[in-house]
Amino acid sequence: QVQLVESGGGLVQPGGSLRLSCAASGRIFSINVMGWYRQAPGKQRELVATITTGGNIDYADSLKGRFTISRDNAANTVSLQMNSLKPEDTAVYFCNAQIPWMSVVYDYWGQGTQVTVSS
């Protein structure tokens, strides 16, 4: 019923910037937490950043100062501004949303968008 769709990925040179966006649609009354995760080839999926309805943010320590997460609660969207990109940032980036239903919170995931940082 709920769908998350990411956009904005692509190929960028080291030091460049990209902005990812994610839109949630479907039967949604509220979203507690939205966030971004990434998975590089051969690696486990890892946290990039999360943001609550109230604007509380949690970043992966290694990404603080380079990545910025934001959300539009009314539009059910979340964005990730990525600056000073490095080759090690290359990964599939996934949008995540924690959506409550009948006092239970469910995790939803987007299909992922590829980010490649290379010369």
Side-chain angles (χ1 to χ4, degrees):
Q1 189 68 38
V2 176
Q3 183 179 12
L4 304 180
V5 179
E6 303 99 334
S7 62
L11 175 65
V12 64
Q13 291 186 323
S17 298
L18 283 175
R19 184 175 180 86
L20 306 182
S21 296
C22 172
S25 61
R27 188 172 176 81
I28 300 171
F29 293 100
S30 64
I31 304 176
N32 293 348
V33 182
M34 300 190 79
W36 291 93
Y37 296 74
R38 68 185 185 183
Q39 187 168 21
K43 302 291 183 63
Q44 293 183 318
R45 188 173 299 186
E46 65 178 358
L47 167 73
V48 175
T50 60
I51 182 169
T52 69
T53 302
N56 294 320
I57 295 172
D58 183 25
Y59 291 105
D61 288 340
S62 63
L63 302 179
K64 291 180 179 178
R66 294 196 299 121
F67 288 15
T68 303
I69 190 171
S70 61
R71 68 183 284 180
D72 184 334
N73 293 331
N76 290 328
T77 60
V78 62
S79 297
L80 183 71
Q81 179 66 45
M82 304 184 294
N83 298 324
S84 301
L85 284 163
K86 304 174 182 179
E88 51 263 43
D89 295 320
T90 295
V92 177
Y93 285 70
F94 296 91
C95 178
N96 169 260
Q98 298 180 15
I99 301 177
W101 183 82
M102 297 291 288
S103 301
V104 178
V105 179
Y106 296 88
D107 274 342
Y108 292 89
W109 295 90
Q111 81 288 346
T113 184
Q114 177 71 47
V115 172
T116 302
V117 185
S118 176
S119 298

